[in-house]
Amino acid sequence: MLAAGWCPHQIQRVWGQYTAPTVYYLSALPRGSTFGGVHHETCNADHCESASVDPKTYKPRHSSDCGSGAHGSQFCRMIGTPQSEIASIIDQGGTPLISIERSSNGEMQLQAIKFKSGLRYVALSHVWSGGLGNVQSNSMQYCQLQRILDLLSSIRKDGADDLDRDKGPRKIEGMKRDTRAKLGLKPEPESPLLFWIDTLCVPVGSQYKNVYYKALYQMAKIYFEAQCVLVIDPELQQMTHRHLSDEQIFASVLCSSWNSRSWTFQEACMARIFYIQFVDGYCVIDQKWHELGGNNPSDTKADASKKEIEMTDLQVSRRHETRCFLLQEVSQWFGEMPLITKMRSHDPRILMSHAEDWMRFALAWNGLRNRSTTKTDDLYGIIAIMVDLRAREILELPRNERMKAIIRAQATLPLQLLYQAGPKLRDSQNRISWAPARIEGERMEMRSGHFQLSGLGIEIKAAQGESGPAQAWPHIYLVDIRLLTGNRFLIESQNTTARRYVELLIERSNNLNEPSIRQALLMIDDALFGKYSSTASYAPGACLLVHGLNGKTYETSYLCPLRAFGGDLDDQFEANMMQDRDQEWKVFEPHSSELRWNECIIKIDCGKLM
């Protein structure tokens, strides 16, 4: 995959999220310099640097058909709107839009106008590495604006904006020009096309710093109120799509630069509907999604003929099932994006009452954990918007307080946060806490459990008859503290015959030396067995130190995440371990005992972290 031009970070991403057959399929996609001139020589497994830009060296690009391409025609020039007009609209709390049309002499004209209810506009979503940005002024190359005008005209001509993500595709003919002509009516004059793009609508320069942040805070509203979002990616716009299969289209977008950036994730989530621009036209990917059966691409119209296929040719049937599975995996990224928007009312700043904090946080985490951004501080603003917080209030905090504030604002959080092995926040005594310092780590499963968060700490209990997806709760083992003298040990539960090989992912802890601590709780989430690694099968979990028992409530503190191997889910692991004498696994008596969720409540002291 590296030899084919893949980014090391993206390789890590797909291997950690998809099955081996899907990774094999993705590896065959043309990448790198084949399309868009995207190179990954400076990237690593942790970050993709190809889509990041250096403000000191960044230059806007010409379109591919402008003169000599990258350098453009000698007649091409920069064109834009006065920054003062854009800044004034934003400063008054409005949203600037760009009106674009051709004058009678063929010259392109731009004008900044203030958005008002009823205006229809297209919001452009792009990566700056594609050349549409500008760090010096609010202007773009004439050739690029010409291309944007052509794209917007095509959308209007096709009437493709009359689509709805929630209800599926619909077409309203209305009184189009050909209809009016048949009725003997004069054609209506075409109104100027309206669009929004950050390059023209977000003022640049130190004198507009305050206005810049105001524009930043409007992002969610801008993309939510647009009639549609048009995606322009340097790789995809060099590809033809009309001959591609559905899985090829979704896979190509999945692996694009556009789908690797943090800001574009927010833009896509807030969009009512969005189109992907290819060299041979745009693809209404929402329409593709609905044609494929929405949340279950295997429930397609083609599925109706599946039974007939099974009756005549078993091999073809299996091929069809494989294709459905592949399509479901490569389209998963799109299927989750609307879920965040669906949790909101028509005002993107107001959450619907039934939306749970932990679900919204998990969806935002999944979307952002493997994405990159040129300005790392932007990520805090993006996650704040996605979980319905005011980005300005978060970004005005000291950097080391931002993630803490985002977490503190949630009433409930995914239990899987306790399993994450990435960098952690520290409490007032500089102790490592359970809270992640950054949005990075493993994917959150929607059917995993969650916990309540308050100023006093964490409370974990399995609620009866709760709404939403059926929750899968981890096993809890009460063990002797002596087990924790090493970071690898074997436990045998008194309740079952299963043997669990546990590895603590521990950095350090002073609590183990406290004589009052004699027991620990091990949470092992078998529902996530094999989901955290494509090369090793284990169940993730967390280790808690028991400070006391009050009725059925265990008072604990967080120690570290863990990995559990073996058990009923992996009989082969124990056989391998018996042959590997280099592995040292401590075993202590008495054996551990497994607790039941309906018989216990776990509280975790957050110290002074919260």
Side-chain angles (χ1 to χ4, degrees), residues 21 71 225 556 568:
H71 300 289
E225 292 182 338
T556 70
D568 295 335

Side-chain angles (χ1 to χ4, degrees), residues 285-301:
I285 202 160
D286 297 79
Q287 188 170 2
K288 286 277 184 192
W289 176 253
H290 283 284
E291 289 173 354
L292 293 172
N295 289 324
N296 188 1
S298 64
D299 294 338
T300 62
K301 293 179 180 179

Side-chain angles (χ1 to χ4, degrees), residues 479-494:
V479 302
D480 193 297
I481 193 65
R482 291 175 295 170
L483 274 176
L484 276 57
T485 56
N487 70 327
R488 288 180 173 180
F489 50 85
L490 182 148
I491 61 173
E492 294 180 338
S493 174
Q494 293 176 339

